[in-house]
Amino acid sequence: MQCLVTFLIKLIPRLAAGWSPSSILAVAYMRSRTWITLEQSRAIALPTGQSIAAFCKSAGLDCRSVDVDSSDHGPRATLHYIHITDRPKARLLFYFHGGAYVNPIDTKGLLPFALECARTAGASDLVCLEYTLAPELKYPGQLVQAVDALDYVLRTHHPSQILLGGESAGGHLVLSLLAHIQSPHPSVKALPGFGIPGQNILGAYVISPWVSMKYDSKSFKTNASRDYIRAKGMAGFIEMWNPNCSEVWGELLAGDVDFWRNLPVNNMLVTAGSWECFLTDILAMASRLQAKEFGTGAAVELSVGEMEVHVHCALDKAVGAPHRQGARNILSWLIRIVGVEAIKLE
């Protein structure tokens, strides 16, 4: 009875914040998932490629997959092209999924929201990177695969036709990739040709990016009872991925303002939820990127969704709840930077 009362009390702030009952239950479910082992998690989730194929078959979408050779003779990455529309010389949304580098893509909420973003941006295809998961592949292996994959995409599309997106660890990979382009990791091949007028990537958005390998910031304490991310779980993920925390490509906050000043991207959006454990770290990252408040039209903008948790947009999408502020801001940002006519948001 005491447990039930405690659970009901914890629901009150979410109900007062306008959350749908299904979203509340989804957070409870996600929090329960943090207690299971990696083996158990892998047992109930398909690998990324199989999951995308099953999703596309169910949704009636065409999908083709391309294996990309590794420049360091490591495991191949795979690109999954989900076709949206026949539009010559159209842009692509190149998406990196999250999951702490150890879990496959989420096709319940994340992939449908990524597709909505691609359609909103007028992209011909949503291109998802299937990178090798940790602990089977450790840092900086996923960066190697992302570099090889972007090199492949650049054979068919100019940087100005490419949008990058990613959530959580996928957001980390987006930022790590951009950092590598301007300041190459010593053991990863360089991507030349950027840094000159007209050669920047059109835009990049990162949703609740995992920017620090530390888990002792203020919001890990203040939002511990609100978010489904748990500080205790972070240590295990970091151990499996094994990043070098003295390197900026692993510990993104190791880079100062000067390091992050000239990223090879014209527009960037950084998002967070005010109720998520990563909030303090994301705000520190936004400061290094010199982000301005959302809606200012600055090169880098910051959107903080009020009373939203980690990657809240995918959570609501999974249960069919209406978009909250964070998701609406992402979609309106995409419309704005690509010059697409206003589209009615959900």
Side-chain angles (χ1 to χ4, degrees):
M1 176 62 71
Q2 183 178 359
C3 292
L4 177 60
V5 172
T6 301
F7 176 73
L8 290 173
I9 290 172
K10 288 184 176 181
L11 295 185
I12 294 173
R14 292 182 169 87
L15 290 170
W19 284 35
S20 68
S22 55
S23 295
I24 294 172
L25 292 175
V27 166
Y29 169 74
M30 291 298 294
R31 193 169 178 86
S32 71
R33 287 283 302 268
T34 66
W35 295 97
I36 67 176
T37 66
L38 178 64
E39 291 74 19
Q40 291 169 328
S41 179
R42 293 271 182 93
I44 60 176
L46 291 173
T48 291
Q50 293 181 33
S51 191
I52 291 175
F55 173 87
C56 289
K57 182 177 180 180
S58 176
L61 294 168
D62 291 331
C63 180
R64 66 182 179 90
S65 302
V66 178
D67 290 330
V68 180
D69 289 332
S70 176
S71 56
D72 72 347
H73 308 291
R76 289 180 170 183
T78 303
L79 289 173
H80 301 285
Y81 284 74
I82 303 175
H83 190 59
I84 298 171
T85 183
D86 292 320
R87 192 172 291 166
K89 298 183 179 180
R91 62 187 65 89
L92 297 176
L93 173 53
F94 188 15
Y95 199 86
F96 302 157
H97 74 84
Y101 284 114
V102 304
N103 291 307
I105 195 170
D106 158 43
T107 57
K108 300 297 185 182
L110 185 279
L111 187 56
F113 184 71
L115 272 169
E116 183 176 0
C117 289
R119 291 189 175 106
T120 298
S124 63
D125 295 85
L126 170 66
V127 185
C128 298
L129 173 65
E130 181 178 6
Y131 52 79
T132 305
L133 301 176
E136 291 81 5
L137 182 65
K138 299 182 184 297
Y139 171 89
Q142 293 79 13
L143 176 59
V144 172
Q145 292 181 319
V147 168
D148 291 333
L150 180 58
D151 192 29
Y152 179 87
V153 170
L154 287 169
R155 298 175 194 175
T156 58
H157 286 75
H158 188 271
S160 63
Q161 296 174 299
I162 298 171
L163 289 160
L164 300 178
E167 99 289 349
S168 197
H172 179 284
L173 191 50
V174 169
L175 290 167
S176 181
L177 176 61
L178 293 173
H180 170 77
I181 291 172
Q182 72 168 16
S183 182
H185 186 289
S187 64
V188 183
K189 79 172 183 181
L191 280 174
F194 291 93
I196 58 178
Q199 285 297 115
N200 278 352
I201 292 168
L202 172 59
Y205 67 95
V206 287
I207 306 170
S208 299
W210 184 19
V211 298
S212 177
M213 297 302 107
K214 300 174 184 177
Y215 39 91
D216 58 358
S217 60
K218 179 181 178 181
S219 54
F220 269 98
K221 300 177 180 67
T222 57
N223 288 331
S225 65
R226 296 166 171 167
D227 203 359
Y228 56 85
I229 296 291
R230 297 172 58 248
K232 289 183 179 179
M234 300 308 298
F237 295 142
I238 294 168
E239 182 180 359
M240 284 185 279
W241 185 44
N242 195 30
N244 184 336
C245 293
S246 67
E247 297 181 344
V248 68
W249 309 278
E251 173 66 32
L252 297 174
L253 291 183
D256 59 14
V257 171
D258 286 337
F259 177 86
W260 292 104
R261 193 179 301 278
N262 296 306
L263 290 179
V265 61
N266 289 335
N267 307 274
M268 180 178 290
L269 176 65
V270 179
T271 82
S274 69
W275 279 5
E276 74 166 290
C277 287
F278 285 174
L279 176 62
T280 301
D281 295 329
I282 295 171
L283 294 179
M285 187 74 235
S287 178
R288 283 161 171 74
L289 292 166
Q290 297 183 295
K292 306 298 182 183
E293 185 180 355
F294 179 79
T296 60
V300 184
E301 297 179 65
L302 170 67
S303 167
V304 179
E306 290 299 318
M307 294 178 283
E308 296 183 19
V309 296
H310 186 63
V311 196
H312 200 111
C313 54
L315 181 149
D316 280 342
K317 193 74 174 177
V319 299
H323 286 325
R324 292 179 65 87
Q325 178 186 3
R328 293 195 301 269
N329 284 355
I330 293 168
L331 297 174
S332 63
W333 177 84
L334 286 165
I335 291 170
R336 175 155 42 91
I337 70 162
V338 301
V340 179
E341 286 186 11
I343 298 173
K344 184 178 179 180
L345 305 182
E346 295 182 359

